[in-house]
Amino acid sequence: GLEFIAGQPPAVNNQVFFRHNGPVTQTISTAFSSLLFETSVENSTDVSYALGTITVESSGAYTISYQISTNATTAARTGTECKIQVDGTDVDGSLVYVYNRNTTDGRASSSATVRVQLNAGQTVVVQGRGTFTPVVTLPNACRLLITKDI
């Protein structure tokens, strides 16, 4: 069974893959496109990353969490819509929306966590779009965390 030692939960041997956008911002048009997480914090042998696309290296159950923070690019009201796709198919439960009022008062964040069964060779992307006008990601405010469940 599981034991707690000195009030701490037991260690789990999940490999963690964690990236964020760093100081780089990304303008997102009104068409869905892949979001970039170019700053690597922790890598995993279970998945690899290149230009917004995660490739699964080891089959299994995965937990994928992301947070996206955006701002409007104009004085017009808009929103941000984001989702996770696996091999081009939307993942149920991964869709999030935020309201971006304008460039002065438009910063907003949203996040989602899903658990999915993935096979080696499949690709995962986080996509986003501005709902009425383009939006821009905020620096150091977009994150992607993937763990393989053991």
Side-chain angles (χ1 to χ4, degrees):
L2 297 176
E3 290 183 9
F4 290 96
I5 301 171
Q8 298 296 317
V12 178
N13 294 322
N14 293 17
Q15 288 199 21
V16 174
F17 174 84
F18 180 60
R19 297 183 75 90
H20 60 84
N21 65 325
V24 177
T25 61
Q26 179 182 356
T27 299
I28 305 167
S29 75
T30 56
F32 275 107
S33 61
S34 294
L35 301 179
L36 302 176
F37 302 91
E38 295 302 301
T39 301
S40 176
V41 178
E42 194 165 346
N43 285 313
S44 165
T45 57
D46 292 323
V47 295
S48 59
Y49 176 88
L51 299 173
T53 299
I54 297 98
T55 301
V56 178
E57 304 295 341
S58 174
S59 298
Y62 286 82
T63 300
I64 304 172
S65 297
Y66 73 94
Q67 177 186 355
I68 304 298
S69 298
T70 59
N71 196 4
T73 57
T74 69
R77 294 177 180 175
T78 190
T80 304
E81 182 178 4
C82 296
K83 62 186 176 182
I84 297 172
Q85 285 193 329
V86 174
D87 288 342
T89 300
D90 295 353
V91 174
D92 290 342
S94 71
L95 188 62
V96 297
Y97 298 93
V98 298
Y99 172 61
N100 304 102
R101 184 174 174 84
N102 55 43
T103 53
T104 305
D105 190 24
R107 293 187 291 182
S109 297
S110 193
S111 62
T113 299
V114 296
R115 188 166 185 271
V116 291
Q117 185 70 35
L118 298 173
N119 296 313
Q122 287 189 294
T123 58
V124 178
V125 295
V126 178
Q127 290 195 323
R129 73 178 188 101
T131 55
F132 299 109
T133 61
V135 294
V136 64
T137 59
L138 300 173
N140 294 303
C142 299
R143 298 160 192 82
L144 174 65
L145 175 68
I146 301 174
T147 57
K148 183 178 181 187
D149 302 338
I150 295 177

